[in-house]
């Protein structure tokens, strides 16, 4: 899921880099198509494709990431949870927060994910994450409300927040995390 979110957030980043956008979208496609088979079945071909998706995310990361990564890192620092395991729980709330700045990019994301024009991206990716055993709520990952203020401050200070499509303060991150709890 980490590779998938890196590709998604690099594509949605506020930085301008059309070649990186193409690399990110291709990585998103690869990750979404192969995540379930790689995790559930241990399929070597699917695992190879996930490695390629991770490379895509790394190459596209020069654009920066966004709020999912920033919030996950803040929570990792405060609660000790692995940040990649938190992405699915944070994804719907961060996409909803960023929606005014990114809605124009949803058509391309839906296309690479094989979704219809009216399908909800966050819902589709959350279902995928659940199928591979990732928590869809922060509380399912052992995160408690007491760590949210510190985690929100960490998220706002994280470098990934600088390229989040919409400016997010520590109060915004606290609201996002509370909604994802």
């Amino acid at each position: 899921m980490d590779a998938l979110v890196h590709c998604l957030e690099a594509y949605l980043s506020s930085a301008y880099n059309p070649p990186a956008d193409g690399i990110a979208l291709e990585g998103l496609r690869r990750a979404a198509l192969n995540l379930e088979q790689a995790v559930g079945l241990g399929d070597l071909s699917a695992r190879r494709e996930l490695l390629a998706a991770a490379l895509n995310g790394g190459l596209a990361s020069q654009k920066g990431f966004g709020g999912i990564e920033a919030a996950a890192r803040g929570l990792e620092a405060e609660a000790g949870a692995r940040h990649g395991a938190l992405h699915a729980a944070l994804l719907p709330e961060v996409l909803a927060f960023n929606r005014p700045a990114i809605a124009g990019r949803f058509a391309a994301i839906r296309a690479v994910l094989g979704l219809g024009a009216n399908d909800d991206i966050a819902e589709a990716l959350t279902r995928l994450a659940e199928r591979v055993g990732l928590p869809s709520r922060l509380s399912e990952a052992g995160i408690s409300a007491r760590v949210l203020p510190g985690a929100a401050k960490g998220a706002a200070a994280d470098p990934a927040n600088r390229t989040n499509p919409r400016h997010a303060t520590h109060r915004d991150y606290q609201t996002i995390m509370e909604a994802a709890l």
Side-chain angles (χ1 to χ4, degrees), residues 98-139:
N98 286 331
R99 186 179 184 85
I102 60 174
R105 299 193 133 221
F106 284 176
I109 294 168
R110 284 186 183 103
V112 300
L113 294 177
L115 300 175
N118 296 317
D119 289 339
D120 185 281
I121 294 165
E123 183 180 314
L125 293 176
T126 300
R127 282 193 314 257
L128 174 61
E130 287 173 342
R131 288 194 304 271
V132 298
L134 292 173
S136 59
R137 309 295 308 162
L138 293 175
S139 58

PDB file of all heavy atoms in Angstrom, residues 98-139:
ATOM      1  N   ASN A  98      -8.431  17.387   0.362  1.00  0.00           N
ATOM      2  CA  ASN A  98      -7.758  17.941  -0.824  1.00  0.00           C
ATOM      3  C   ASN A  98      -8.667  18.083  -2.039  1.00  0.00           C
ATOM      4  O   ASN A  98      -8.276  18.715  -3.023  1.00  0.00           O
ATOM      5  CB  ASN A  98      -6.559  17.067  -1.195  1.00  0.00           C
ATOM      6  CG  ASN A  98      -5.404  17.242  -0.258  1.00  0.00           C
ATOM      7  OD1 ASN A  98      -5.210  18.304   0.330  1.00  0.00           O
ATOM      8  ND2 ASN A  98      -4.614  16.198  -0.090  1.00  0.00           N
ATOM      9  N   ARG A  99      -9.835  17.520  -1.999  1.00  0.00           N
ATOM     10  CA  ARG A  99     -10.726  17.470  -3.163  1.00  0.00           C
ATOM     11  C   ARG A  99     -10.860  18.800  -3.925  1.00  0.00           C
ATOM     12  O   ARG A  99     -10.797  18.804  -5.158  1.00  0.00           O
ATOM     13  CB  ARG A  99     -12.101  16.945  -2.772  1.00  0.00           C
ATOM     14  CG  ARG A  99     -13.001  16.740  -3.975  1.00  0.00           C
ATOM     15  CD  ARG A  99     -14.383  16.180  -3.596  1.00  0.00           C
ATOM     16  NE  ARG A  99     -15.141  15.913  -4.774  1.00  0.00           N
ATOM     17  CZ  ARG A  99     -15.092  14.807  -5.486  1.00  0.00           C
ATOM     18  NH1 ARG A  99     -14.292  13.832  -5.111  1.00  0.00           N
ATOM     19  NH2 ARG A  99     -15.813  14.654  -6.568  1.00  0.00           N
ATOM     20  N   PRO A 100     -11.031  19.938  -3.257  1.00  0.00           N
ATOM     21  CA  PRO A 100     -11.156  21.187  -4.032  1.00  0.00           C
ATOM     22  C   PRO A 100      -9.961  21.474  -4.935  1.00  0.00           C
ATOM     23  O   PRO A 100     -10.102  22.112  -5.976  1.00  0.00           O
ATOM     24  CB  PRO A 100     -11.291  22.270  -2.950  1.00  0.00           C
ATOM     25  CG  PRO A 100     -11.808  21.552  -1.750  1.00  0.00           C
ATOM     26  CD  PRO A 100     -11.208  20.168  -1.820  1.00  0.00           C
ATOM     27  N   ALA A 101      -8.800  20.982  -4.563  1.00  0.00           N
ATOM     28  CA  ALA A 101      -7.588  21.249  -5.344  1.00  0.00           C
ATOM     29  C   ALA A 101      -7.247  20.150  -6.338  1.00  0.00           C
ATOM     30  O   ALA A 101      -6.421  20.371  -7.229  1.00  0.00           O
ATOM     31  CB  ALA A 101      -6.400  21.453  -4.390  1.00  0.00           C
ATOM     32  N   ILE A 102      -7.868  18.976  -6.225  1.00  0.00           N
ATOM     33  CA  ILE A 102      -7.436  17.837  -7.036  1.00  0.00           C
ATOM     34  C   ILE A 102      -8.531  17.181  -7.863  1.00  0.00           C
ATOM     35  O   ILE A 102      -8.248  16.264  -8.631  1.00  0.00           O
ATOM     36  CB  ILE A 102      -6.752  16.747  -6.168  1.00  0.00           C
ATOM     37  CG1 ILE A 102      -7.720  16.217  -5.108  1.00  0.00           C
ATOM     38  CG2 ILE A 102      -5.462  17.268  -5.558  1.00  0.00           C
ATOM     39  CD1 ILE A 102      -7.199  15.043  -4.306  1.00  0.00           C
ATOM     40  N   ALA A 103      -9.747  17.618  -7.728  1.00  0.00           N
ATOM     41  CA  ALA A 103     -10.866  16.945  -8.410  1.00  0.00           C
ATOM     42  C   ALA A 103     -10.634  16.826  -9.916  1.00  0.00           C
ATOM     43  O   ALA A 103     -11.052  15.850 -10.537  1.00  0.00           O
ATOM     44  CB  ALA A 103     -12.179  17.653  -8.118  1.00  0.00           C
ATOM     45  N   GLY A 104      -9.935  17.757 -10.505  1.00  0.00           N
ATOM     46  CA  GLY A 104      -9.644  17.717 -11.933  1.00  0.00           C
ATOM     47  C   GLY A 104      -8.714  16.582 -12.334  1.00  0.00           C
ATOM     48  O   GLY A 104      -8.593  16.255 -13.513  1.00  0.00           O
ATOM     49  N   ARG A 105      -8.067  15.962 -11.379  1.00  0.00           N
ATOM     50  CA  ARG A 105      -7.139  14.867 -11.665  1.00  0.00           C
ATOM     51  C   ARG A 105      -7.784  13.501 -11.435  1.00  0.00           C
ATOM     52  O   ARG A 105      -7.162  12.472 -11.693  1.00  0.00           O
ATOM     53  CB  ARG A 105      -5.888  15.006 -10.806  1.00  0.00           C
ATOM     54  CG  ARG A 105      -5.174  16.319 -11.132  1.00  0.00           C
ATOM     55  CD  ARG A 105      -3.784  16.386 -10.575  1.00  0.00           C
ATOM     56  NE  ARG A 105      -2.969  16.877 -11.688  1.00  0.00           N
ATOM     57  CZ  ARG A 105      -1.775  16.437 -11.992  1.00  0.00           C
ATOM     58  NH1 ARG A 105      -1.206  15.513 -11.274  1.00  0.00           N
ATOM     59  NH2 ARG A 105      -1.126  16.923 -13.016  1.00  0.00           N
ATOM     60  N   PHE A 106      -9.012  13.479 -10.948  1.00  0.00           N
ATOM     61  CA  PHE A 106      -9.664  12.214 -10.615  1.00  0.00           C
ATOM     62  C   PHE A 106      -9.944  11.344 -11.843  1.00  0.00           C
ATOM     63  O   PHE A 106      -9.894  10.128 -11.747  1.00  0.00           O
ATOM     64  CB  PHE A 106     -10.961  12.454  -9.852  1.00  0.00           C
ATOM     65  CG  PHE A 106     -10.772  12.834  -8.399  1.00  0.00           C
ATOM     66  CD1 PHE A 106     -11.864  13.155  -7.623  1.00  0.00           C
ATOM     67  CD2 PHE A 106      -9.526  12.880  -7.801  1.00  0.00           C
ATOM     68  CE1 PHE A 106     -11.713  13.495  -6.282  1.00  0.00           C
ATOM     69  CE2 PHE A 106      -9.360  13.222  -6.474  1.00  0.00           C
ATOM     70  CZ  PHE A 106     -10.459  13.529  -5.710  1.00  0.00           C
ATOM     71  N   ALA A 107     -10.229  11.938 -12.983  1.00  0.00           N
ATOM     72  CA  ALA A 107     -10.545  11.147 -14.180  1.00  0.00           C
ATOM     73  C   ALA A 107      -9.362  10.254 -14.564  1.00  0.00           C
ATOM     74  O   ALA A 107      -9.541   9.070 -14.884  1.00  0.00           O
ATOM     75  CB  ALA A 107     -10.941  12.047 -15.339  1.00  0.00           C
ATOM     76  N   ALA A 108      -8.165  10.801 -14.532  1.00  0.00           N
ATOM     77  CA  ALA A 108      -6.980  10.004 -14.886  1.00  0.00           C
ATOM     78  C   ALA A 108      -6.748   8.887 -13.863  1.00  0.00           C
ATOM     79  O   ALA A 108      -6.378   7.766 -14.233  1.00  0.00           O
ATOM     80  CB  ALA A 108      -5.744  10.899 -14.979  1.00  0.00           C
ATOM     81  N   ILE A 109      -6.985   9.186 -12.596  1.00  0.00           N
ATOM     82  CA  ILE A 109      -6.819   8.162 -11.557  1.00  0.00           C
ATOM     83  C   ILE A 109      -7.848   7.058 -11.745  1.00  0.00           C
ATOM     84  O   ILE A 109      -7.519   5.870 -11.685  1.00  0.00           O
ATOM     85  CB  ILE A 109      -6.926   8.789 -10.152  1.00  0.00           C
ATOM     86  CG1 ILE A 109      -5.755   9.741  -9.912  1.00  0.00           C
ATOM     87  CG2 ILE A 109      -6.984   7.704  -9.072  1.00  0.00           C
ATOM     88  CD1 ILE A 109      -5.905  10.619  -8.687  1.00  0.00           C
ATOM     89  N   ARG A 110      -9.093   7.451 -11.975  1.00  0.00           N
ATOM     90  CA  ARG A 110     -10.133   6.443 -12.200  1.00  0.00           C
ATOM     91  C   ARG A 110      -9.786   5.568 -13.404  1.00  0.00           C
ATOM     92  O   ARG A 110      -9.998   4.357 -13.376  1.00  0.00           O
ATOM     93  CB  ARG A 110     -11.485   7.120 -12.414  1.00  0.00           C
ATOM     94  CG  ARG A 110     -12.118   7.627 -11.147  1.00  0.00           C
ATOM     95  CD  ARG A 110     -13.532   8.159 -11.415  1.00  0.00           C
ATOM     96  NE  ARG A 110     -14.107   8.703 -10.216  1.00  0.00           N
ATOM     97  CZ  ARG A 110     -14.214  10.005  -9.947  1.00  0.00           C
ATOM     98  NH1 ARG A 110     -13.801  10.910 -10.838  1.00  0.00           N
ATOM     99  NH2 ARG A 110     -14.755  10.423  -8.817  1.00  0.00           N
ATOM    100  N   ALA A 111      -9.246   6.170 -14.443  1.00  0.00           N
ATOM    101  CA  ALA A 111      -8.906   5.410 -15.652  1.00  0.00           C
ATOM    102  C   ALA A 111      -7.839   4.359 -15.354  1.00  0.00           C
ATOM    103  O   ALA A 111      -7.990   3.199 -15.758  1.00  0.00           O
ATOM    104  CB  ALA A 111      -8.439   6.353 -16.764  1.00  0.00           C
ATOM    105  N   VAL A 112      -6.758   4.723 -14.658  1.00  0.00           N
ATOM    106  CA  VAL A 112      -5.708   3.737 -14.405  1.00  0.00           C
ATOM    107  C   VAL A 112      -6.148   2.682 -13.389  1.00  0.00           C
ATOM    108  O   VAL A 112      -5.601   1.578 -13.384  1.00  0.00           O
ATOM    109  CB  VAL A 112      -4.360   4.372 -13.976  1.00  0.00           C
ATOM    110  CG1 VAL A 112      -3.832   5.305 -15.048  1.00  0.00           C
ATOM    111  CG2 VAL A 112      -4.439   5.045 -12.642  1.00  0.00           C
ATOM    112  N   LEU A 113      -7.129   3.016 -12.560  1.00  0.00           N
ATOM    113  CA  LEU A 113      -7.646   2.039 -11.601  1.00  0.00           C
ATOM    114  C   LEU A 113      -8.763   1.181 -12.191  1.00  0.00           C
ATOM    115  O   LEU A 113      -9.244   0.255 -11.543  1.00  0.00           O
ATOM    116  CB  LEU A 113      -8.164   2.741 -10.338  1.00  0.00           C
ATOM    117  CG  LEU A 113      -7.116   3.462  -9.481  1.00  0.00           C
ATOM    118  CD1 LEU A 113      -7.788   4.165  -8.310  1.00  0.00           C
ATOM    119  CD2 LEU A 113      -6.051   2.490  -8.988  1.00  0.00           C
ATOM    120  N   GLY A 114      -9.179   1.506 -13.418  1.00  0.00           N
ATOM    121  CA  GLY A 114     -10.256   0.752 -14.057  1.00  0.00           C
ATOM    122  C   GLY A 114     -11.617   1.034 -13.443  1.00  0.00           C
ATOM    123  O   GLY A 114     -12.505   0.177 -13.484  1.00  0.00           O
ATOM    124  N   LEU A 115     -11.802   2.222 -12.909  1.00  0.00           N
ATOM    125  CA  LEU A 115     -13.066   2.607 -12.277  1.00  0.00           C
ATOM    126  C   LEU A 115     -13.949   3.357 -13.256  1.00  0.00           C
ATOM    127  O   LEU A 115     -13.454   3.954 -14.219  1.00  0.00           O
ATOM    128  CB  LEU A 115     -12.803   3.488 -11.051  1.00  0.00           C
ATOM    129  CG  LEU A 115     -11.960   2.876  -9.932  1.00  0.00           C
ATOM    130  CD1 LEU A 115     -11.682   3.915  -8.844  1.00  0.00           C
ATOM    131  CD2 LEU A 115     -12.641   1.658  -9.354  1.00  0.00           C
ATOM    132  N   GLY A 116     -15.235   3.373 -12.974  1.00  0.00           N
ATOM    133  CA  GLY A 116     -16.174   4.145 -13.763  1.00  0.00           C
ATOM    134  C   GLY A 116     -16.114   5.621 -13.400  1.00  0.00           C
ATOM    135  O   GLY A 116     -15.540   6.008 -12.378  1.00  0.00           O
ATOM    136  N   ALA A 117     -16.740   6.446 -14.213  1.00  0.00           N
ATOM    137  CA  ALA A 117     -16.699   7.900 -14.042  1.00  0.00           C
ATOM    138  C   ALA A 117     -17.267   8.377 -12.709  1.00  0.00           C
ATOM    139  O   ALA A 117     -16.877   9.423 -12.210  1.00  0.00           O
ATOM    140  CB  ALA A 117     -17.443   8.579 -15.195  1.00  0.00           C
ATOM    141  N   ASN A 118     -18.170   7.615 -12.135  1.00  0.00           N
ATOM    142  CA  ASN A 118     -18.787   8.032 -10.872  1.00  0.00           C
ATOM    143  C   ASN A 118     -18.308   7.222  -9.675  1.00  0.00           C
ATOM    144  O   ASN A 118     -18.807   7.411  -8.562  1.00  0.00           O
ATOM    145  CB  ASN A 118     -20.315   7.952 -10.980  1.00  0.00           C
ATOM    146  CG  ASN A 118     -20.851   8.922 -12.002  1.00  0.00           C
ATOM    147  OD1 ASN A 118     -20.423  10.070 -12.063  1.00  0.00           O
ATOM    148  ND2 ASN A 118     -21.767   8.459 -12.827  1.00  0.00           N
ATOM    149  N   ASP A 119     -17.360   6.314  -9.883  1.00  0.00           N
ATOM    150  CA  ASP A 119     -16.865   5.498  -8.778  1.00  0.00           C
ATOM    151  C   ASP A 119     -16.008   6.335  -7.833  1.00  0.00           C
ATOM    152  O   ASP A 119     -15.279   7.233  -8.259  1.00  0.00           O
ATOM    153  CB  ASP A 119     -16.050   4.315  -9.302  1.00  0.00           C
ATOM    154  CG  ASP A 119     -16.907   3.272  -9.986  1.00  0.00           C
ATOM    155  OD1 ASP A 119     -18.130   3.235  -9.740  1.00  0.00           O
ATOM    156  OD2 ASP A 119     -16.355   2.501 -10.791  1.00  0.00           O
ATOM    157  N   ASP A 120     -16.094   6.019  -6.561  1.00  0.00           N
ATOM    158  CA  ASP A 120     -15.351   6.723  -5.520  1.00  0.00           C
ATOM    159  C   ASP A 120     -13.949   6.113  -5.394  1.00  0.00           C
ATOM    160  O   ASP A 120     -13.805   4.930  -5.061  1.00  0.00           O
ATOM    161  CB  ASP A 120     -16.115   6.624  -4.204  1.00  0.00           C
ATOM    162  CG  ASP A 120     -15.480   7.436  -3.107  1.00  0.00           C
ATOM    163  OD1 ASP A 120     -14.474   6.964  -2.534  1.00  0.00           O
ATOM    164  OD2 ASP A 120     -15.988   8.543  -2.824  1.00  0.00           O
ATOM    165  N   ILE A 121     -12.934   6.912  -5.648  1.00  0.00           N
ATOM    166  CA  ILE A 121     -11.546   6.447  -5.620  1.00  0.00           C
ATOM    167  C   ILE A 121     -11.161   5.981  -4.222  1.00  0.00           C
ATOM    168  O   ILE A 121     -10.585   4.907  -4.055  1.00  0.00           O
ATOM    169  CB  ILE A 121     -10.597   7.563  -6.104  1.00  0.00           C
ATOM    170  CG1 ILE A 121     -10.860   7.875  -7.584  1.00  0.00           C
ATOM    171  CG2 ILE A 121      -9.136   7.188  -5.868  1.00  0.00           C
ATOM    172  CD1 ILE A 121     -10.256   9.181  -8.055  1.00  0.00           C
ATOM    173  N   ALA A 122     -11.472   6.792  -3.222  1.00  0.00           N
ATOM    174  CA  ALA A 122     -11.103   6.442  -1.849  1.00  0.00           C
ATOM    175  C   ALA A 122     -11.768   5.137  -1.420  1.00  0.00           C
ATOM    176  O   ALA A 122     -11.134   4.284  -0.790  1.00  0.00           O
ATOM    177  CB  ALA A 122     -11.467   7.569  -0.898  1.00  0.00           C
ATOM    178  N   GLU A 123     -13.015   4.967  -1.778  1.00  0.00           N
ATOM    179  CA  GLU A 123     -13.729   3.736  -1.417  1.00  0.00           C
ATOM    180  C   GLU A 123     -13.090   2.519  -2.090  1.00  0.00           C
ATOM    181  O   GLU A 123     -12.883   1.487  -1.465  1.00  0.00           O
ATOM    182  CB  GLU A 123     -15.198   3.851  -1.813  1.00  0.00           C
ATOM    183  CG  GLU A 123     -16.042   2.664  -1.420  1.00  0.00           C
ATOM    184  CD  GLU A 123     -17.495   2.839  -1.843  1.00  0.00           C
ATOM    185  OE1 GLU A 123     -18.054   3.926  -1.613  1.00  0.00           O
ATOM    186  OE2 GLU A 123     -18.045   1.871  -2.409  1.00  0.00           O
ATOM    187  N   ALA A 124     -12.762   2.640  -3.357  1.00  0.00           N
ATOM    188  CA  ALA A 124     -12.149   1.526  -4.080  1.00  0.00           C
ATOM    189  C   ALA A 124     -10.793   1.154  -3.483  1.00  0.00           C
ATOM    190  O   ALA A 124     -10.490  -0.029  -3.298  1.00  0.00           O
ATOM    191  CB  ALA A 124     -11.998   1.880  -5.559  1.00  0.00           C
ATOM    192  N   LEU A 125      -9.982   2.150  -3.147  1.00  0.00           N
ATOM    193  CA  LEU A 125      -8.663   1.866  -2.585  1.00  0.00           C
ATOM    194  C   LEU A 125      -8.749   1.363  -1.149  1.00  0.00           C
ATOM    195  O   LEU A 125      -7.952   0.522  -0.728  1.00  0.00           O
ATOM    196  CB  LEU A 125      -7.765   3.103  -2.690  1.00  0.00           C
ATOM    197  CG  LEU A 125      -7.393   3.497  -4.123  1.00  0.00           C
ATOM    198  CD1 LEU A 125      -6.582   4.775  -4.136  1.00  0.00           C
ATOM    199  CD2 LEU A 125      -6.668   2.371  -4.840  1.00  0.00           C
ATOM    200  N   THR A 126      -9.741   1.837  -0.410  1.00  0.00           N
ATOM    201  CA  THR A 126      -9.951   1.337   0.953  1.00  0.00           C
ATOM    202  C   THR A 126     -10.373  -0.126   0.923  1.00  0.00           C
ATOM    203  O   THR A 126      -9.879  -0.945   1.712  1.00  0.00           O
ATOM    204  CB  THR A 126     -10.989   2.194   1.703  1.00  0.00           C
ATOM    205  OG1 THR A 126     -10.503   3.544   1.773  1.00  0.00           O
ATOM    206  CG2 THR A 126     -11.241   1.675   3.106  1.00  0.00           C
ATOM    207  N   ARG A 127     -11.251  -0.483   0.004  1.00  0.00           N
ATOM    208  CA  ARG A 127     -11.658  -1.897  -0.129  1.00  0.00           C
ATOM    209  C   ARG A 127     -10.463  -2.771  -0.488  1.00  0.00           C
ATOM    210  O   ARG A 127     -10.299  -3.880   0.035  1.00  0.00           O
ATOM    211  CB  ARG A 127     -12.766  -2.040  -1.179  1.00  0.00           C
ATOM    212  CG  ARG A 127     -14.142  -1.633  -0.682  1.00  0.00           C
ATOM    213  CD  ARG A 127     -15.232  -2.098  -1.642  1.00  0.00           C
ATOM    214  NE  ARG A 127     -14.916  -1.824  -3.024  1.00  0.00           N
ATOM    215  CZ  ARG A 127     -15.428  -0.839  -3.761  1.00  0.00           C
ATOM    216  NH1 ARG A 127     -16.325  -0.043  -3.259  1.00  0.00           N
ATOM    217  NH2 ARG A 127     -15.072  -0.675  -5.018  1.00  0.00           N
ATOM    218  N   LEU A 128      -9.617  -2.289  -1.389  1.00  0.00           N
ATOM    219  CA  LEU A 128      -8.416  -3.037  -1.763  1.00  0.00           C
ATOM    220  C   LEU A 128      -7.522  -3.245  -0.537  1.00  0.00           C
ATOM    221  O   LEU A 128      -7.055  -4.354  -0.280  1.00  0.00           O
ATOM    222  CB  LEU A 128      -7.647  -2.299  -2.866  1.00  0.00           C
ATOM    223  CG  LEU A 128      -6.294  -2.870  -3.264  1.00  0.00           C
ATOM    224  CD1 LEU A 128      -6.421  -4.282  -3.815  1.00  0.00           C
ATOM    225  CD2 LEU A 128      -5.614  -1.950  -4.272  1.00  0.00           C
ATOM    226  N   ALA A 129      -7.314  -2.194   0.225  1.00  0.00           N
ATOM    227  CA  ALA A 129      -6.478  -2.287   1.424  1.00  0.00           C
ATOM    228  C   ALA A 129      -7.062  -3.260   2.442  1.00  0.00           C
ATOM    229  O   ALA A 129      -6.325  -4.039   3.067  1.00  0.00           O
ATOM    230  CB  ALA A 129      -6.301  -0.911   2.044  1.00  0.00           C
ATOM    231  N   GLU A 130      -8.363  -3.245   2.603  1.00  0.00           N
ATOM    232  CA  GLU A 130      -9.019  -4.174   3.532  1.00  0.00           C
ATOM    233  C   GLU A 130      -8.822  -5.618   3.078  1.00  0.00           C
ATOM    234  O   GLU A 130      -8.608  -6.506   3.907  1.00  0.00           O
ATOM    235  CB  GLU A 130     -10.504  -3.850   3.662  1.00  0.00           C
ATOM    236  CG  GLU A 130     -10.784  -2.592   4.461  1.00  0.00           C
ATOM    237  CD  GLU A 130     -12.248  -2.169   4.439  1.00  0.00           C
ATOM    238  OE1 GLU A 130     -13.016  -2.625   3.554  1.00  0.00           O
ATOM    239  OE2 GLU A 130     -12.617  -1.370   5.310  1.00  0.00           O
ATOM    240  N   ARG A 131      -8.880  -5.846   1.758  1.00  0.00           N
ATOM    241  CA  ARG A 131      -8.707  -7.209   1.235  1.00  0.00           C
ATOM    242  C   ARG A 131      -7.308  -7.760   1.512  1.00  0.00           C
ATOM    243  O   ARG A 131      -7.124  -8.968   1.582  1.00  0.00           O
ATOM    244  CB  ARG A 131      -9.028  -7.273  -0.259  1.00  0.00           C
ATOM    245  CG  ARG A 131     -10.512  -7.149  -0.564  1.00  0.00           C
ATOM    246  CD  ARG A 131     -10.864  -7.535  -1.985  1.00  0.00           C
ATOM    247  NE  ARG A 131     -10.162  -6.809  -3.015  1.00  0.00           N
ATOM    248  CZ  ARG A 131     -10.567  -5.653  -3.572  1.00  0.00           C
ATOM    249  NH1 ARG A 131     -11.689  -5.087  -3.174  1.00  0.00           N
ATOM    250  NH2 ARG A 131      -9.851  -5.088  -4.526  1.00  0.00           N
ATOM    251  N   VAL A 132      -6.330  -6.870   1.681  1.00  0.00           N
ATOM    252  CA  VAL A 132      -4.979  -7.346   1.987  1.00  0.00           C
ATOM    253  C   VAL A 132      -4.665  -7.232   3.484  1.00  0.00           C
ATOM    254  O   VAL A 132      -3.519  -7.401   3.897  1.00  0.00           O
ATOM    255  CB  VAL A 132      -3.892  -6.640   1.123  1.00  0.00           C
ATOM    256  CG1 VAL A 132      -4.102  -6.940  -0.344  1.00  0.00           C
ATOM    257  CG2 VAL A 132      -3.817  -5.161   1.395  1.00  0.00           C
ATOM    258  N   GLY A 133      -5.688  -6.943   4.273  1.00  0.00           N
ATOM    259  CA  GLY A 133      -5.535  -6.975   5.725  1.00  0.00           C
ATOM    260  C   GLY A 133      -5.095  -5.698   6.392  1.00  0.00           C
ATOM    261  O   GLY A 133      -4.683  -5.730   7.556  1.00  0.00           O
ATOM    262  N   LEU A 134      -5.185  -4.576   5.710  1.00  0.00           N
ATOM    263  CA  LEU A 134      -4.800  -3.309   6.333  1.00  0.00           C
ATOM    264  C   LEU A 134      -6.001  -2.669   7.026  1.00  0.00           C
ATOM    265  O   LEU A 134      -7.136  -2.801   6.567  1.00  0.00           O
ATOM    266  CB  LEU A 134      -4.231  -2.352   5.279  1.00  0.00           C
ATOM    267  CG  LEU A 134      -2.902  -2.780   4.686  1.00  0.00           C
ATOM    268  CD1 LEU A 134      -2.505  -1.872   3.534  1.00  0.00           C
ATOM    269  CD2 LEU A 134      -1.814  -2.769   5.760  1.00  0.00           C
ATOM    270  N   PRO A 135      -5.761  -1.961   8.114  1.00  0.00           N
ATOM    271  CA  PRO A 135      -6.870  -1.334   8.839  1.00  0.00           C
ATOM    272  C   PRO A 135      -7.468  -0.165   8.053  1.00  0.00           C
ATOM    273  O   PRO A 135      -6.746   0.599   7.416  1.00  0.00           O
ATOM    274  CB  PRO A 135      -6.219  -0.841  10.132  1.00  0.00           C
ATOM    275  CG  PRO A 135      -4.766  -0.729   9.830  1.00  0.00           C
ATOM    276  CD  PRO A 135      -4.471  -1.738   8.765  1.00  0.00           C
ATOM    277  N   SER A 136      -8.788  -0.053   8.127  1.00  0.00           N
ATOM    278  CA  SER A 136      -9.462   1.059   7.456  1.00  0.00           C
ATOM    279  C   SER A 136      -9.749   2.211   8.426  1.00  0.00           C
ATOM    280  O   SER A 136     -10.236   3.255   8.001  1.00  0.00           O
ATOM    281  CB  SER A 136     -10.762   0.590   6.798  1.00  0.00           C
ATOM    282  OG  SER A 136     -11.632   0.050   7.762  1.00  0.00           O
ATOM    283  N   ARG A 137      -9.451   2.015   9.696  1.00  0.00           N
ATOM    284  CA  ARG A 137      -9.604   3.054  10.719  1.00  0.00           C
ATOM    285  C   ARG A 137      -8.308   3.094  11.531  1.00  0.00           C
ATOM    286  O   ARG A 137      -7.680   2.054  11.768  1.00  0.00           O
ATOM    287  CB  ARG A 137     -10.783   2.760  11.665  1.00  0.00           C
ATOM    288  CG  ARG A 137     -12.107   2.445  11.023  1.00  0.00           C
ATOM    289  CD  ARG A 137     -12.733   3.552  10.230  1.00  0.00           C
ATOM    290  NE  ARG A 137     -12.829   4.802  10.979  1.00  0.00           N
ATOM    291  CZ  ARG A 137     -13.025   5.979  10.400  1.00  0.00           C
ATOM    292  NH1 ARG A 137     -13.124   6.073   9.086  1.00  0.00           N
ATOM    293  NH2 ARG A 137     -13.101   7.072  11.114  1.00  0.00           N
ATOM    294  N   LEU A 138      -7.916   4.263  11.976  1.00  0.00           N
ATOM    295  CA  LEU A 138      -6.702   4.383  12.776  1.00  0.00           C
ATOM    296  C   LEU A 138      -6.806   3.598  14.079  1.00  0.00           C
ATOM    297  O   LEU A 138      -5.830   3.006  14.535  1.00  0.00           O
ATOM    298  CB  LEU A 138      -6.404   5.858  13.071  1.00  0.00           C
ATOM    299  CG  LEU A 138      -6.017   6.718  11.870  1.00  0.00           C
ATOM    300  CD1 LEU A 138      -5.879   8.178  12.282  1.00  0.00           C
ATOM    301  CD2 LEU A 138      -4.751   6.204  11.211  1.00  0.00           C
ATOM    302  N   SER A 139      -7.998   3.573  14.658  1.00  0.00           N
ATOM    303  CA  SER A 139      -8.180   2.832  15.910  1.00  0.00           C
ATOM    304  C   SER A 139      -7.898   1.347  15.723  1.00  0.00           C
ATOM    305  O   SER A 139      -7.407   0.689  16.645  1.00  0.00           O
ATOM    306  CB  SER A 139      -9.593   3.053  16.458  1.00  0.00           C
ATOM    307  OG  SER A 139     -10.559   2.648  15.512  1.00  0.00           O
TER     308      SER A 139
END
